[in-house]
Amino acid sequence: MNLQIATLLGQDGLTNGAIYALLALSILLVFTVTRILLIPLGEFVTFGALTMAAIQMGKLPQLEWLLLGLTCIDCSLDLYQQARSRFNRRKLQGVALKLGYAATLVILVHTLPLAELPMGAQILLTLALIVPLGPIMYRLFFQPLADAPSLVLLIVSIAVHVSMVGTGLLLFGPEGARTKPFSDSGFHLGSVMLKSQTLWVILVSIFLIVTLFIAFERTLYGKALRATAVNRMGARLLGISPVFAGKVTFALAAFIGSASGILIAPITTLYYDSGFIISLKGFVGAIIGGLVSYPLAAIGSVAVGMVEAFSMFWASGYKEIIVFTLIIPFLIWRSMTSHHVEDDE
Amino acid sequence: MSTQDNKLLNVSDLHVAYGKVEALTGIDLTLKEGQLVTVIGPNGAGKTTLLSAIMGVLPSTGTIHFNGQDFFSPEVETLVGHGLGLVSEKRELFSTMSVQDNLLLGAFLRYRRGDTSYDTTLAEIYSLFPRLWERRHQQAGTLSGGERQMLAIGRAMMGKPKLLMLDEPSLGLAPLITREIFRIFADLRRQGVSILLVEQNARAALKVADYAYVLEGGQVAMHGPAADLANDPRIIEAYLGLASKHQELLSS
Amino acid sequence: MKQRYLIIIGLITLFLAPLVLPTFQITLLNYIGLYALVVLGLVLLTGVGGMTSFGQAAFVGLGAYATAYITTTEQLPEWLSWTAGSPWAGLLVGILLTAVVALFLGAVTLKLSGHYLPLGTIAWGISLYYLFGTMSSMGGHTGISGLPSLNIFGISLDKGEKIYYLIWAILMVAIWITSNLLNSREGRAIRALKGGQLMAESMGINTFRSKMVIFLISAIFAALSGWLYAHTQRFVNPTPFGLQMGIDYLFMALIGGAASVWGALLGAGVLTMLKQWLQDFLPLIMGGSGQYETIVLGLLIIFMMQRAPGGLWLILVKLTPVSWRNQHRIKVDTSAADLPRQALPKKGDLLLEARHVTRRFGGLVANNNMSLQLHAGEVLALIGPNGAGKSTMFNQLSAVDSPSDGEVLFLNQSLSNKTSRQVAQMGMSRTFQHVKLLPTMSALENVALGAHMRGKKGVLNALFHLERDEEQRLLKEAQYQLNRVGLGDHLHTEAGSLSLGQQRILEIARALCSDPCVLLLDEPAAGLRHKEKQALAGLLKKLRAEGLAILLVEHDMDFVMNLVDRIVVMEFGEKIAEGLPEEIQTNPAVLEAYLGGAE
């Protein structure tokens, strides 16, 4: 290995690590607020990448129909619930707004010249299609189980993942896809070539992490989510409902997931079922952070990316095994230091 | 207050059961606007259960009429939205967040509705509890018992509730701090805040309250103006299961 | 008894099936049997133990690959030459390998919160899948072919309808030993995992060990299934051992009903048939080809978790007439020998002592400089207003929590490094403020849980019911304690359907069943009716006369004043008074604590 190869591998590691860090942070966020381990996060990544690819090829992404269908189910549940108690004007407006949004997107997707749009608009459209799926997913699959044991939540999470992979196949087909890089230029730093997309990934990731940090430290909405994670009943007594917190975190997770997909789509070919292994590496990062610590999870994720890149060079066949073995020392360490007896699941 | 017949809270025939065991059987309770009503009674009488049921934390049967609307086994968030506030027996603070953040979150619903005057309320609360101002950057988990109680009360007040319900605010607090906190209740009452106070500390509660209910075994055993009940010897019996020969101790 | 007839009819049908069914159906039945064996392990792990694993398919793979490697490799390495390419050696190696991996995975995850085992098994499942696919000695992605068929008593099981009998015989034995295990002392400990592990530990049960036992058994069942699979197919490749299949196994357990051994069979059958049908049917309406059945299966699981978390088996049970249901009553053999009892300490001996105990939580001082002593043959009450720190003190005394300063001594030993399980073994037993019983288990079994430490026979004995003698002695003891506390009429009643008062008494019987010298009772009289309180007081007086030391935290003053020898009163985490009941009743500080200061 020479310096050239090392920097190339380092770039790859850093790029992947940045993405894993983003995913690990959303996994932690969802977990601390809702107790759900969001296994289907990876599907948001693939949906993001594959939708973007479809749009760039001028094909209909098909995702708009999924959005419309799920919105319809969501809204009929809303109406059913209201019919049983009392119709409320504000809630009816909410239903109309949701339906209108989904319908507008269907129309937009079917009338706009998708391939000719500027890249920024394509990205916006992709996010607009995917992000609402997060809260809807929470509403349909997890909200009825808010008080269930965490084992049940985990099982449902896996089931949602399985369904979404199948849906991905139905919508996008079995072919893999890549998108155009955000910009074409590369940079030379001495003798080393820096890929522009690498810079994009790292910069956008840092930007998103910093924005999230500020949002959680400085805004009342961010604080409300943290409060729910710290003390659910305390938050409810202040009118911060777990449903609200759940929907917001799922929207954030869907956003981060699909944004990550859009970021890496120019670098890696993604298939409908690639998301799982990507999100699992985010989980490795989150486990290194003990499922509580954000900074540790971020650092752990970058380490995962680095280890992955360098084992690609030395022992490519064993890459995945090496990455997943990374959690073992952390599990041993935590087992040795933990004394408490778990009670009342 | 002039609104003498304005019932802010009216609970009728409220039942709560834990499985097969009825914890509350047919409670009727009324609180008029601007009143401080106290619910006293020995441990296990169902006081906390009563507040939890009114707040929607526990499922119940019966009617809860609050601020002009009827609720049947409502959700916590709905009632909070309608102006009910509860300082729980467990305080339910956000222990890893700062004192100031805890207080600000008390105004979450006001913020969400576009009410920006909560800064003024924050200043009011700091002047009411200077200790909280001194410790505003500290994590809530590092506070002492009395400070935690102040924070819990202050946080509930940040929401400007129409009715503030307090569950055992003197719980585990030294007498000096208890006295301090009860003085604040008297202040609040003078300002026209309606308060429903559940207390084990009967003497202190009866002193500040307008009206009192005595709960025993999940039922209302007695009720009447607080001043009348304060000297009723039956209360001490309910509390300590003592023979009447100890009554003189109460009056001493 | 009707259940027995059902089982016999079922077994006869199973026996006759290969004689009438076509080969394709037999193959399907073979698969169902192989899957059900794996799912049975998951029923034990998930349905009974409340844990879960996505790595079962990988254990199946380990079992399959071990035998494939040993029976097909021409030049086995030196250290495996003893196997001589025999499938039976392959089975042994597979099970040993599986046990080693399961022990390791269990050791690093089972002490942590419930999320680490599933996540750990996902990582394990993926790693093994890639390992099989990468290692050339394992055939890479093409796999290993040409496995020999099994030979039993000279009969070669080379056809589906022949190995069918082996598969189903093994499955039936597995179901039998699993039921045996669940109906034993070790089984009660396993069933207690889901009902509150703090309670189990306080009864002297090593919950980590119980978890490990079921994880190990479920892994071994999976490896056994893999071995059978390898010799049924006579070919292995990585695909059927991937994570996807690991998820499918879990889905089978959930669809069938994870709380019943029969749910394993039902789930494996239903999911296998449903998948078959969906794979034929869905491409017709969706067009193209692909694994669209995963969409439907995923949604089905979500729906079941929301609406019928007990699975199909529970629905079936509810549909059958009540008289058909399992009226299984545990028989207690009253002629069984008594369990040996510990000699109680001399009356008046100091048994439990708190020395200047202080406990801080952040800035909150919950206990401050608390000292108290408990002697053999006395009842001591710890009282005080709400929030005085009694519960915290109770936790210090029972080794659930440890003091920030000061120490607690039990039988002259410091409890600072002891767990609640260790103090239980030393002879301290307790009840809980919020009743911790296993609501679907009978009163008898709940109480027998208390006698856990007094039995010695382990899992292997339990699997084959070789511990019936000891089991009868434990049950007889449980029955004796239930009679003693006055619940003799409710031996077979489900604990959850008793009144709250009876449940509290049941907890005392469970505590007594461990043969303690110190009894800690957390609000024993709460929720009891007047008559029940009198009976409880009578019981406690009798125990005191026998020489037990009893400490109780209690709010019911009538109860306390007429029963106890001494009282310690707490307020603000400190001791404000100590003395005889009469002294306490007239103590002005106590009166002020309860009624508030008069200013």
Side-chain angles (χ1 to χ4, degrees):
Chain A
M1 171 175 295
N2 57 30
L3 184 70
Q4 185 113 27
I5 296 177
T7 37
L8 271 178
L9 292 176
Q11 277 185 58
D12 279 356
L14 217 52
T15 325
N16 291 343
I19 295 294
Y20 299 152
L22 275 178
L23 298 180
L25 295 184
S26 11
I27 287 166
L28 275 185
L29 174 66
V30 172
F31 178 68
T32 50
V33 174
T34 65
R35 299 184 299 133
I36 298 165
L37 289 173
L38 192 64
I39 309 274
L41 181 62
E43 275 61 63
F44 288 119
V45 177
T46 47
F47 279 27
L50 295 175
T51 304
M52 186 72 185
I55 289 177
Q56 287 191 349
M57 283 186 282
K59 284 200 297 192
L60 290 173
Q62 306 292 350
L63 200 67
E64 68 278 13
W65 297 117
L66 182 69
L67 177 63
L68 186 65
L70 289 178
T71 306
C72 286
I73 300 175
D74 178 24
C75 289
S76 20
L77 283 175
D78 276 1
L79 290 176
Y80 173 72
Q81 238 171 20
Q82 287 199 38
R84 283 176 35 160
S85 53
R86 201 170 10 168
F87 282 96
N88 168 322
R89 224 179 112 229
R90 244 189 53 214
K91 284 187 177 155
L92 283 178
Q93 277 174 352
V95 168
L97 212 67
K98 282 194 275 191
L99 277 176
Y101 178 85
T104 313
L105 272 182
V106 171
I107 295 168
L108 275 181
V109 166
H110 284 256
T111 49
L112 288 175
L114 296 175
E116 281 93 71
L117 290 173
M119 192 174 276
Q122 292 174 333
I123 292 174
L124 270 182
L125 192 59
T126 306
L127 292 175
L129 281 167
I130 298 175
V131 174
L133 292 178
I136 296 179
M137 183 196 275
Y138 179 80
R139 163 75 186 85
L140 295 181
F141 304 138
F142 294 100
Q143 190 182 318
L145 291 165
D147 299 322
S150 34
L151 179 66
V152 170
L153 295 178
L154 174 64
I155 288 165
V156 169
S157 181
I158 285 276
V160 171
H161 150 73
V162 167
S163 285
M164 276 182 82
V165 173
T167 312
L169 175 62
L170 190 66
L171 296 179
F172 305 110
E175 302 85 21
R178 251 185 212 237
T179 57
K180 296 175 201 137
F182 292 5
S183 50
D184 288 323
S185 50
F187 303 88
H188 285 273
L189 205 78
S191 64
V192 185
M193 158 86 167
L194 287 178
K195 290 180 257 175
S196 71
Q197 192 65 23
T198 305
L199 280 180
W200 272 108
V201 171
I202 293 168
L203 289 178
V204 174
S205 301
I206 291 174
F207 171 75
L208 283 177
I209 291 172
V210 170
T211 314
L212 273 181
F213 178 77
I214 292 173
F216 277 84
E217 286 296 317
R218 302 257 183 265
T219 71
L220 205 51
Y221 276 96
K223 285 173 187 170
L225 291 186
R226 274 167 64 206
T228 306
V230 177
N231 184 338
R232 186 171 295 257
M233 183 43 83
R236 290 190 68 187
L237 288 175
L238 304 180
I240 307 166
S241 85
V243 172
F244 161 80
K247 284 184 178 171
V248 173
T249 43
F250 267 63
L252 270 176
F255 170 72
I256 292 179
S258 44
S260 309
I262 295 170
L263 280 173
I264 53 167
I267 312 174
T268 334
T269 309
L270 288 175
Y271 299 84
Y272 73 97
D273 60 353
S274 312
F276 190 41
I277 205 100
I278 298 176
S279 70
L280 282 184
K281 286 169 192 161
F283 269 97
V284 173
I287 290 174
I288 291 174
L291 293 177
V292 281
S293 161
Y294 288 83
L296 272 183
I299 294 168
S301 304
V302 174
V304 169
M306 286 297 187
V307 169
E308 187 185 15
F310 280 89
S311 50
M312 190 79 170
F313 180 77
W314 278 306
S316 71
Y318 297 93
K319 179 186 85 171
E320 311 291 357
I321 303 168
I322 294 171
V323 167
F324 288 115
T325 314
L326 268 183
I327 61 172
I328 289 176
F330 291 92
L331 289 178
I332 293 176
W333 176 62
R334 282 189 195 283
S335 278
M336 306 275 271
T337 51
S338 114
H339 295 295
H340 76 292
V341 174
E342 183 91 350
D343 208 32
D344 293 335
E345 240 307 276
Chain B
M1 299 293 291
S2 58
T3 47
Q4 277 298 307
D5 17 40
N6 191 355
K7 287 180 184 173
L8 182 60
L9 176 74
N10 189 39
V11 173
S12 54
D13 198 30
L14 191 79
H15 290 254
V16 176
Y18 295 105
K20 284 182 180 173
V21 191
E22 281 234 312
L24 292 181
T25 41
I27 302 284
D28 296 309
L29 181 148
T30 305
L31 183 146
K32 290 175 192 155
E33 206 149 296
Q35 264 189 334
L36 195 163
V37 173
T38 184
V39 177
I40 55 175
N43 258 318
K47 303 187 298 290
T48 296
T49 308
L50 175 63
L51 282 199
S52 306
I54 296 175
M55 196 68 211
V57 178
L58 284 176
S60 60
T61 60
T63 323
I64 297 161
H65 179 92
F66 174 65
N67 197 27
Q69 238 179 309
D70 283 341
F71 298 92
F72 308 95
S73 208
E75 295 257 314
V76 179
E77 296 83 6
T78 319
L79 286 168
V80 177
H82 280 87
L84 199 56
L86 171 69
V87 177
S88 145
E89 186 189 356
K90 291 183 211 140
R91 270 73 146 171
E92 308 282 14
L93 297 175
F94 308 119
S95 53
T96 55
M97 298 173 76
S98 72
V99 167
Q100 176 134 328
D101 281 353
N102 268 275
L103 288 173
L104 284 174
L105 281 165
F108 177 74
L109 276 189
R110 290 171 68 191
Y111 174 81
R112 215 179 154 183
R113 287 170 184 165
D115 173 359
T116 49
S117 67
Y118 59 85
D119 275 352
T120 336
T121 323
L122 186 64
E124 281 168 26
I125 285 167
Y126 279 143
S127 67
L128 203 58
F129 302 105
R131 284 283 272 283
L132 295 183
W133 167 255
E134 285 162 28
R135 295 175 192 269
R136 64 190 181 281
H137 298 305
Q138 235 169 288
Q139 285 196 353
T142 63
L143 297 183
S144 75
E147 291 161 349
R148 284 180 199 207
Q149 187 59 60
M150 291 175 197
L151 179 56
I153 296 171
R155 193 181 66 174
M157 286 168 56
M158 282 294 289
K160 283 218 163 171
K162 292 201 180 70
L163 171 61
L164 182 61
M165 304 201 291
L166 299 138
D167 194 358
E168 308 245 8
S170 75
L171 198 80
L173 300 188
L176 216 64
I177 301 169
T178 304
R179 223 170 291 158
E180 172 87 20
I181 283 181
F182 272 83
R183 197 162 53 232
I184 287 164
F185 297 154
D187 275 356
L188 289 174
R189 198 187 76 88
R190 270 193 291 279
Q191 290 168 25
V193 179
S194 313
I195 296 178
L196 182 62
L197 172 66
V198 158
E199 251 305 333
Q200 190 177 239
N201 190 333
R203 281 179 182 153
L206 290 174
K207 219 169 192 176
V208 290
D210 299 296
Y211 201 85
Y213 290 81
V214 182
L215 230 57
E216 238 189 299
Q219 285 170 321
V220 175
M222 281 180 266
H223 61 103
D228 298 355
L229 285 179
N231 294 314
D232 197 317
R234 287 176 296 173
I235 289 182
I236 192 168
E237 271 178 60
Y239 269 70
L240 282 182
L242 303 179
S244 49
K245 62 175 173 171
H246 300 296
Q247 274 170 24
E248 64 267 25
L249 274 163
L250 179 69
S251 47
S252 73
Chain C
M1 284 304 99
K2 288 196 172 128
Q3 218 193 18
R4 178 164 293 173
Y5 294 128
L6 277 180
I7 293 175
I8 291 171
I9 294 170
L11 285 178
I12 294 173
T13 321
L14 269 181
F15 186 80
L16 295 177
L19 307 177
V20 289
L21 290 177
T23 318
F24 174 71
Q25 307 286 351
I26 294 301
T27 310
L28 213 55
L29 276 178
N30 281 347
Y31 274 114
I32 291 174
L34 290 169
Y35 294 158
L37 188 54
V38 184
V39 178
L40 183 64
L42 276 178
V43 163
L44 199 57
L45 193 66
T46 306
V48 181
M51 302 177 286
T52 206
S53 154
F54 295 100
Q56 297 311 98
F59 289 123
V60 177
L62 213 50
Y65 265 90
T67 196
Y69 178 75
I70 281 173
T71 54
T72 59
T73 308
E74 308 223 327
Q75 278 285 302
L76 280 170
E78 194 72 19
W79 59 279
L80 279 173
S81 57
W82 59 273
T83 59
S86 150
W88 303 102
L91 175 63
L92 187 68
V93 171
I95 287 181
L96 284 178
L97 260 180
T98 301
V100 169
V101 174
L103 281 173
F104 176 75
L105 273 176
V108 297
T109 57
L110 290 178
K111 278 192 180 151
L112 303 174
S113 79
H115 294 104
Y116 285 93
L117 180 65
L119 290 176
T121 52
I122 287 178
W124 143 248
I126 290 191
S127 301
L128 195 76
Y129 174 79
Y130 281 107
L131 194 65
F132 287 153
T134 314
M135 283 170 71
S136 56
S137 57
M138 295 293 161
H141 280 285
T142 36
I144 304 174
S145 55
L147 272 74
S149 52
L150 292 173
N151 258 299
I152 294 185
F153 308 126
I155 305 167
S156 167
L157 305 179
D158 52 356
K159 288 213 184 81
E161 59 267 31
K162 289 186 184 166
I163 202 161
Y164 167 91
Y165 286 105
L166 182 64
I167 292 172
W168 283 85
I170 288 181
L171 176 63
M172 289 301 136
V173 171
I175 289 180
W176 178 65
I177 60 173
T178 307
S179 315
N180 280 353
L181 175 64
L182 290 177
N183 287 311
S184 73
R185 167 178 164 272
E186 291 282 358
R188 280 189 294 274
I190 291 165
R191 284 146 78 192
L193 287 176
K194 234 178 159 179
Q197 294 175 20
L198 177 61
M199 181 274 282
E201 290 275 333
S202 303
M203 295 302 128
I205 293 167
N206 185 338
T207 51
F208 173 68
R209 182 175 166 279
S210 290
K211 289 185 204 171
M212 190 65 108
V213 163
I214 51 178
F215 185 51
L216 203 54
I217 291 179
S218 71
I220 289 174
F221 280 173
L224 191 59
S225 169
W227 175 75
L228 281 167
Y229 172 88
H231 290 287
T232 308
Q233 290 289 70
R234 297 167 66 179
F235 161 74
V236 292
N237 73 341
T239 317
F241 313 126
L243 195 61
Q244 187 57 51
M245 197 59 210
I247 294 173
D248 275 0
Y249 283 127
L250 185 65
F251 282 3
M252 289 179 195
L254 298 169
I255 287 178
S260 161
V261 287
W262 299 107
L265 194 51
L266 187 67
V270 168
L271 194 93
T272 309
M273 309 297 262
L274 186 67
K275 231 179 157 172
Q276 199 76 35
W277 180 74
L278 286 173
Q279 277 168 355
D280 292 342
F281 176 71
L282 285 182
L284 295 182
I285 49 166
M286 305 239 195
S289 63
Q291 296 177 308
Y292 300 135
E293 76 274 5
T294 55
I295 306 176
V296 181
L297 289 178
L299 292 176
L300 180 69
I301 291 291
I302 296 167
F303 184 78
M304 289 203 61
M305 288 289 103
Q306 289 185 355
R307 295 302 167 86
L312 290 177
W313 184 256
L314 204 68
I315 296 176
L316 272 185
V317 170
K318 279 184 186 155
L319 287 176
T320 53
V322 176
S323 61
W324 278 52
R325 282 184 215 166
N326 197 357
Q327 299 291 331
H328 185 65
R329 276 194 170 188
I330 296 170
K331 286 206 193 66
V332 184
D333 179 8
T334 43
S335 66
D338 287 326
L339 288 171
R341 277 178 205 292
Q342 258 183 339
L344 284 171
K346 256 203 345 275
K347 214 165 183 173
D349 279 2
L350 176 60
L351 298 184
L352 183 63
E353 183 182 17
R355 284 189 192 158
H356 310 290
V357 167
T358 297
R359 180 70 174 107
R360 292 183 210 94
F361 299 103
L364 197 79
V365 185
N367 286 156
N368 191 11
N369 198 21
M370 276 293 299
S371 297
L372 59 82
Q373 295 186 327
L374 180 65
H375 305 89
E378 83 167 334
V379 181
L380 174 73
L382 184 60
I383 67 169
N386 258 337
K390 302 184 298 289
S391 297
T392 311
M393 192 62 203
F394 196 94
N395 284 341
Q396 313 300 315
L397 292 172
S398 53
V400 169
D401 192 11
S402 42
S404 318
D405 277 317
E407 61 176 346
V408 177
L409 297 172
F410 176 44
L411 300 174
N412 291 320
Q413 292 186 48
S414 168
L415 297 187
S416 53
N417 285 315
K418 297 240 176 348
T419 61
S420 46
R421 183 171 84 244
Q422 286 164 323
V423 292
Q425 275 154 355
M426 288 164 70
M428 186 193 291
S429 202
R430 64 170 292 189
T431 64
F432 295 87
Q433 185 186 352
H434 302 286
V435 177
K436 290 183 194 289
L437 293 167
L438 301 168
T440 57
M441 257 159 70
S442 70
L444 187 71
E445 288 178 286
N446 266 292
V447 174
L449 209 53
H452 185 84
M453 293 175 288
R454 299 168 76 184
K456 299 280 167 285
K457 295 278 167 72
V459 175
L460 279 180
N461 282 307
L463 285 172
F464 300 99
H465 266 189
L466 302 174
E467 33 59 285
R468 291 293 95 182
D469 190 41
E470 181 189 274
E471 175 72 0
Q472 282 307 328
R473 296 171 74 183
L474 293 176
L475 289 175
K476 187 186 163 194
E477 172 74 9
Q479 184 184 29
Y480 165 71
Q481 297 296 356
L482 273 166
N483 282 329
R484 191 183 191 189
V485 301
L487 285 173
D489 296 338
H490 296 286
L491 294 185
H492 304 291
T493 314
E494 277 190 1
S497 62
L498 294 172
S499 75
L500 183 64
Q502 288 171 322
Q503 294 189 6
R504 288 200 180 280
I505 304 284
L506 190 64
E507 284 217 323
I508 295 178
R510 183 178 66 196
L512 288 175
C513 218
S514 69
D515 192 24
C517 61
V518 166
L519 198 55
L520 304 183
L521 306 176
D522 203 345
E523 299 200 21
L528 265 63
R529 291 193 207 94
H530 187 63
K531 273 260 171 68
E532 293 173 327
K533 280 182 197 167
Q534 282 180 325
L536 175 62
L539 174 71
L540 295 182
K541 280 175 184 161
K542 210 163 75 187
L543 295 172
R544 168 173 62 189
E546 289 171 17
L548 237 69
I550 302 170
L551 179 135
L552 49 94
V553 168
E554 185 51 65
H555 285 307
D556 188 322
M557 290 303 159
D558 274 332
F559 181 78
V560 166
M561 296 299 172
N562 293 320
L563 168 72
V564 306
D565 302 299
R566 283 191 308 126
I567 298 177
V568 170
V569 189
M570 287 182 74
E571 200 190 9
F572 318 126
E574 293 176 15
K575 183 160 76 179
I576 56 164
E578 178 170 9
L580 303 172
E582 306 83 62
E583 295 167 5
I584 296 298
Q585 273 179 314
T586 51
N587 185 323
V590 176
L591 220 54
E592 189 165 309
Y594 271 84
L595 287 169
E599 282 197 35

